Amino acid sequence: MALVLNEEQVMLKESAAGFLAQKASVAQLRALRDSGDERGFSAAVWQDMAEMGWAGIAIPEEFGGLGYGYTGLGLVLEQAGRNLSATPLQSTVLVAATVIAELGSEQQKQALLPAIAAGGKIVSLALQEGAHHAPLQCALSAEPQGDGYVLNGEKVLVLDASAADTFIVIARTAGAPGDEQGLSAFLVDANSAGLTVQRRSMVDSRNAGALTLANVRVPASDVLGEPGAAWGGLIRALDIANIGLAAELLGVSLEAFERTVGYLKERKQFGRVIGSFQGLQHRAAELFAELELARSIVLQALHAIDAGEQDLSLLASAAKAKLCEVAQRATNEAIQMHGGIGMTDEHEIGFFIKRARVVQHLFGDYNYHLDRFAQRNGF
Amino acid sequence: MSDLEQFRQQTRAWLEENCPQSMRVPVKGFEDFYSGGRKPEITHPDQKLWCDRMAARGWTVPHWPKAYGGGGLNNEEVKILSQEMARIGARRALDSFGISMLGPALLHFGSEEQKLEHLPKIVRGEIRWCQGYSEPNAGSDLASLATKAEDKGDHYVINGQKIWTSYADKCDWIFCLVRTDNSGSKHEGISFVLFDMDQPGVTVRPIKLISGSSPFCETFFDNAIADKRNLVGEAGNGWTIAKYLLTHEREMISGFGAAAKKSMGQMAVEAIGTDTSGRLANSVLRQTIAQYQLDTLVFGATMARVGDEAKAGQGLGAASSIFKYYGTELNKRRNELNLAVCGEQALGWEGEEYHSGALSRDWLRSKGNSIEGGTSEVQLNIIAKRVLGLPDA
């Protein structure tokens, strides 16, 4: 597959750019934050996006989606990154729908994917338990009881937690933390008895939360796939998720960079625009080169998903690690080059550095993925 | 069978029959590349044979038109040829500045007569070319070059000095930037001329580098003669051609050192060992290597993307500046890591036990990559001004 966008993809990118800039911009994120909105996103905007097909963009046509593949979803995520659009695109479409597609039975896919594609269902993955992404260390317990399981434990950083209808809870039906065997994925209704959803206020003003499960009963029919055998599908879904997040980080970084270059051309000190100083020019040029590299690895990784490559781990960790590095540099430079105005809440540039750090952290940060990249390369 | 499939079969059969076994072994270093010319450097007698056989089909430069001695192959066919050559490990038959630099410039700016005169000799490896660009006082600021060409009707008389002329002592002809007019701005009045180095007015003196080798020369012109038939483009329009050519040069330099056989991580594991988790035993070095390998992968993806975009008729104006800057910095990182990973083994200068100092000499040579063809700082200036539109100081 050539590393270029086809005509259909270019049109998709342009329509996403236009829509999100108008309906789900940084200003809207600020408004949601300032009004203390409980859902953390606009249900009406999400419905519009679903009508345009974006909620089912990577979902196969047989399950009610558009079947555009992950390259298409990546393009929308990049635009969402540029606009810091607050929508359930990440939680439900990128992550949850992918986990369901990887692990679910035919029947489970039929029950869930068309509803997600129609925008009628918010689903979110509940995976992380400690301060860091460490999927193998998962300890939340699932004890067999009667014709089902009883779940006990806690989860953090569950995206769109307070808006979700259903959670995919990763739990241990066997084995000990560190074991691949014994991890299972459970569909847990948000209204389940014993489940407490707590909205947490995060630095990016988006809608993440914590779950407490106290004797939550789940029927055996709500195990996604085979009990105890979730690892393979989960890790592939996480690879795909990280590639999608890399696409979002690309958008965040490009937008922060372009706004910063714009500022360098406006702001005057010592009687001239500060963009004429070579000290700043070289830093901007280096960052431009890094961003061009970042574009390439994101596109290559997205194409690899759509080409059906069996092992995505190396490319996924490469894309996430590189984009974490570039996003960190781009947003740090954005604040520094904006100077004092960049430190104010009134200016929008601060929203980019905040969102970047949360996305960097999600499902493994730079350190996690660079370490994994080295392991995959045999050292 | 499709035409392309048929082409593949025929190519495969021809290569099987015509590529000598000795040319199916990997090159050991730069010295094994064959560049042709009147006084060719040869490390194996089959190099010339292999070059002649390939040249007879135009396959030393397969994408150039047949009218100029090239292979006349389309992109698909060129790809198949290189795949089939890779399949049997065949070396490239000919590597030269004529192919990578002068040829593209002549195809773009040369007259029909010039193309017919010079291109076939490049394809056959008969004439080896060098580039006369930099001068002692015109390095990064190339346009301030002062080598003077006086108009004598049907020829120019050239006086001045070039420096960093790659392999000038081994080359036959030079493509040279000279000043034909001093009256306008420094970018005006530069002309692009070709002339034979084998004449009394040309003196070449190799420069010994910190790496111990002498790939570059000082080249002096004392009433050297260039026939006016060999002025490329209009007089005074040489800067346009120079810029075009620098683009090719930057792409070429950025590709240096791209193909290492073993990954740096593998080399480090062999040299240092792993801990019980299988990770390289030195965690500080491990991170540096991982960052380097990540950037190498991502840089490769970028070369592929820009190549695909060019084929699709899109393009990134400043791509060559990004490549030159990033590729050479990456190559310097690789060479520093060689030293870190191989330790004492990389510090040897002579002797079998140190492979004649290959690692230390390559390391020192790599320092020049971010200087020649426009320094990294000049590349960053170009990106800042031409791509990002930042104003001059």
Side-chain angles (χ1 to χ4, degrees):
Chain A
M1 214 180 304
L3 288 174
V4 286
L5 300 180
N6 62 35
E7 216 168 296
E8 193 178 67
Q9 288 164 339
V10 171
M11 277 171 59
L12 172 66
K13 184 174 176 171
E14 282 167 6
S15 75
F19 177 87
L20 294 172
Q22 207 195 342
K23 300 276 192 166
S25 63
V26 186
Q28 266 109 7
L29 174 62
R30 180 195 293 278
L32 287 163
R33 179 195 74 175
D34 292 348
S35 68
D37 187 282
E38 188 64 20
R39 293 177 69 83
F41 63 87
S42 157
V45 168
W46 181 235
Q47 206 47 54
D48 285 349
M49 288 170 71
E51 273 161 31
M52 284 182 284
W54 299 345
I57 202 158
I59 294 175
E61 285 171 285
E62 55 183 309
F63 298 115
L66 282 187
Y68 268 28
Y70 284 92
T71 305
L73 177 57
L75 293 173
V76 180
L77 282 164
E78 181 186 328
Q79 296 308 315
R82 275 188 176 270
N83 293 286
L84 303 183
S85 305
T87 79
L89 200 58
Q90 291 87 349
S91 65
T92 302
V93 181
L94 174 64
V95 185
T98 304
V99 174
I100 293 164
E102 290 295 331
L103 285 175
S105 66
E106 192 66 18
Q107 205 180 357
Q108 286 165 331
K109 289 190 223 176
Q110 282 296 356
L112 292 163
L113 294 179
I116 289 175
K121 205 168 176 64
I122 306 295
V123 186
S124 184
L125 176 69
L127 173 64
Q128 190 165 328
E129 296 176 5
H132 297 280
H133 175 69
L136 269 184
Q137 299 303 320
C138 174
L140 191 139
S141 87
E143 297 280 338
Q145 197 182 87
D147 64 347
Y149 295 85
V150 176
L151 274 56
N152 279 290
E154 291 176 2
K155 295 285 185 184
V156 294
L157 211 62
V158 179
L159 303 181
D160 294 320
S162 58
D165 303 295
T166 304
F167 296 101
I168 302 168
V169 178
I170 305 300
R172 224 166 240 299
T173 44
D179 293 345
E180 292 179 7
Q181 282 300 314
L183 286 174
S184 305
F186 292 90
L187 294 167
V188 177
D189 191 281
N191 297 316
S192 301
L195 173 64
T196 312
V197 180
Q198 193 191 6
R199 184 161 200 242
R200 292 267 169 95
S201 172
M202 309 301 289
V203 69
D204 64 344
S205 306
R206 293 284 287 275
N207 183 16
L211 306 187
T212 306
L213 292 88
N215 294 320
V216 174
R217 298 183 57 86
V218 184
S221 57
D222 281 347
V223 176
L224 268 181
E226 292 301 309
W231 180 250
L234 176 66
I235 206 70
R236 183 175 173 82
L238 289 174
D239 281 336
I240 294 173
N242 273 306
I243 293 168
L245 293 178
E248 183 186 349
L249 283 173
L250 176 63
V252 172
S253 306
L254 287 170
E255 184 69 21
F257 175 70
E258 286 166 19
R259 288 182 183 217
T260 302
V261 171
Y263 186 73
L264 294 182
K265 293 176 186 172
E266 275 169 21
R267 170 71 173 168
K268 280 191 180 158
Q269 286 287 278
F270 307 103
R272 52 200 242 213
V273 294
I274 60 174
S276 65
F277 296 122
Q278 202 175 39
L280 295 178
Q281 287 185 345
H282 281 193
R283 277 157 58 190
E286 285 173 4
L287 199 42
F288 175 79
E290 291 290 350
L291 285 163
E292 284 300 318
L293 263 67
R295 276 181 210 271
S296 316
I297 192 66
V298 168
L299 193 56
Q300 191 180 67
L302 287 167
H303 278 185
I305 309 174
D306 289 337
E309 273 183 34
Q310 283 302 306
D311 187 359
L312 293 168
S313 59
L314 191 133
L315 269 182
S317 280
K320 186 69 187 301
K322 187 66 198 176
L323 268 292
C324 283
E325 176 203 327
V326 173
Q328 181 146 332
R329 184 163 168 186
T331 52
N332 282 344
E333 288 286 54
I335 298 290
Q336 178 66 21
M337 291 187 188
H338 274 84
I341 193 84
M343 291 298 294
T344 64
D345 181 65
E346 186 188 354
H347 200 281
E348 288 189 344
I349 201 73
F351 282 78
F352 288 86
I353 194 170
K354 294 177 187 175
R355 177 61 184 165
R357 289 305 180 280
V358 174
V359 183
Q360 285 170 237
H361 172 87
L362 277 175
F363 306 128
D365 61 6
Y366 175 76
N367 299 313
Y368 178 91
H369 284 288
L370 192 69
D371 176 61
R372 188 165 177 253
F373 175 79
Q375 283 184 301
R376 289 294 178 278
N377 274 297
F379 64 102
Chain B
M1 193 165 24
S2 73
D3 288 352
L4 283 179
E5 194 44 42
Q6 197 172 358
F7 176 76
R8 185 185 293 279
Q9 297 302 335
Q10 287 165 353
T11 302
R12 183 173 295 186
W14 186 87
L15 287 171
E16 266 315 335
E17 197 169 323
N18 288 281
C19 180
Q21 286 303 327
S22 57
M23 294 294 108
R24 303 185 191 192
V25 227
V27 293
K28 285 192 214 78
F30 270 117
E31 68 278 7
D32 278 341
F33 289 122
Y34 181 68
S35 299
R38 293 176 189 144
K39 39 196 176 190
E41 301 168 278
I42 284 181
T43 53
H44 193 288
D46 285 346
Q47 282 174 308
K48 186 158 174 13
L49 175 74
W50 175 224
C51 177
D52 288 346
R53 285 179 178 172
M54 286 286 276
R57 324 195 97 205
W59 282 5
T60 47
V61 199
H63 58 285
W64 283 4
K66 278 200 163 153
Y68 310 129
L73 304 189
N74 63 35
N75 286 344
E76 296 296 320
E77 292 166 336
V78 169
K79 204 167 164 183
I80 288 172
L81 174 60
S82 70
Q83 285 167 347
E84 289 303 318
M85 286 175 68
R87 201 183 64 86
I88 58 168
R91 293 181 188 180
R92 278 201 303 273
L94 183 64
D95 275 283
S96 72
F97 285 169
I99 295 175
S100 58
M101 298 177 66
L102 178 63
L106 280 183
L107 284 169
H108 206 271
F109 298 99
S111 68
E112 189 61 22
E113 190 196 349
Q114 288 166 343
K115 291 180 200 173
L116 288 169
E117 165 74 17
H118 296 294
L119 294 178
K121 292 180 191 165
I122 292 174
V123 172
R124 295 195 295 266
E126 280 173 25
I127 295 295
R128 186 171 176 184
W129 287 85
C130 66
Q131 168 183 268
Y133 269 30
S134 297
E135 296 180 5
N137 291 313
S140 289
D141 182 14
L142 180 62
S144 66
L145 61 92
T147 293
K148 195 173 148 198
E150 226 176 320
D151 191 336
K152 296 283 184 184
D154 64 345
H155 67 276
Y156 289 109
V157 172
I158 297 166
N159 283 287
Q161 183 194 344
K162 293 291 174 183
I163 194 167
W164 310 122
T165 334
S166 306
Y167 307 109
D169 52 335
K170 299 173 176 105
C171 288
D172 309 310
W173 276 61
I174 186 167
F175 49 98
C176 195
L177 291 179
V178 294
R179 189 161 292 288
T180 43
D181 187 352
N182 254 324
S183 59
S185 82
K186 65 180 180 180
H187 293 93
E188 295 163 10
I190 294 174
S191 299
F192 191 96
V193 293
L194 319 174
F195 54 94
D196 196 330
M197 306 266 282
D198 186 14
Q199 56 170 303
V202 178
T203 312
V204 171
R205 195 185 301 152
I207 305 167
K208 186 171 177 181
L209 297 186
I210 51 176
S211 61
S213 67
S214 305
F216 301 110
C217 301
E218 293 176 287
T219 306
F220 301 89
F221 307 123
D222 181 14
N223 291 325
I225 306 289
D227 195 308
K228 262 202 182 164
R229 286 186 308 136
N230 286 315
L231 167 70
V232 180
E234 305 276 311
N237 200 27
W239 187 245
T240 309
I241 306 173
K243 277 195 302 183
Y244 177 84
L245 253 179
L246 275 172
T247 309
H248 276 271
E249 183 183 20
R250 284 168 188 164
E251 282 169 6
M252 192 171 68
I253 294 172
S254 67
F256 282 177
K261 286 142 223 116
K262 223 178 264 178
S263 81
M264 190 64 69
Q266 294 299 333
M267 272 171 48
V269 164
E270 284 169 27
I272 293 163
T274 58
D275 65 15
T276 51
S277 73
R279 290 175 172 88
L280 185 67
N282 181 330
S283 62
V284 179
L285 180 58
R286 179 173 183 264
Q287 176 168 359
T288 313
I289 294 174
Q291 285 164 333
Y292 161 74
Q293 283 197 199
L294 175 59
D295 285 339
T296 303
L297 174 81
V298 176
F299 185 62
T302 305
M303 304 272 263
R305 173 169 69 88
V306 173
D308 288 348
E309 283 173 353
K311 274 182 220 152
Q314 305 168 8
L316 184 72
S320 67
S321 293
I322 292 168
F323 286 167
K324 206 285 174 175
Y325 161 67
Y326 210 94
T328 55
E329 295 297 330
L330 202 53
N331 196 38
K332 289 197 296 182
R333 283 165 68 187
R334 182 174 68 88
N335 276 282
E336 288 293 350
L337 277 170
N338 273 339
L339 259 62
V341 168
C342 301
E344 182 264 354
Q345 280 292 306
L347 295 174
W349 184 250
E350 278 171 346
E352 273 301 297
E353 64 277 27
Y354 297 120
H355 305 285
S356 311
L359 286 173
S360 60
R361 288 166 192 261
D362 283 355
W363 163 69
L364 288 164
R365 177 65 188 86
S366 74
K367 299 300 176 199
N369 292 163
S370 52
I371 301 170
E372 62 212 2
T375 61
S376 283
E377 290 72 19
V378 166
Q379 305 311 317
L380 294 174
N381 284 346
I382 292 172
I383 298 169
K385 290 182 179 128
R386 298 212 198 123
V387 185
L388 301 179
L390 293 170
D392 280 324

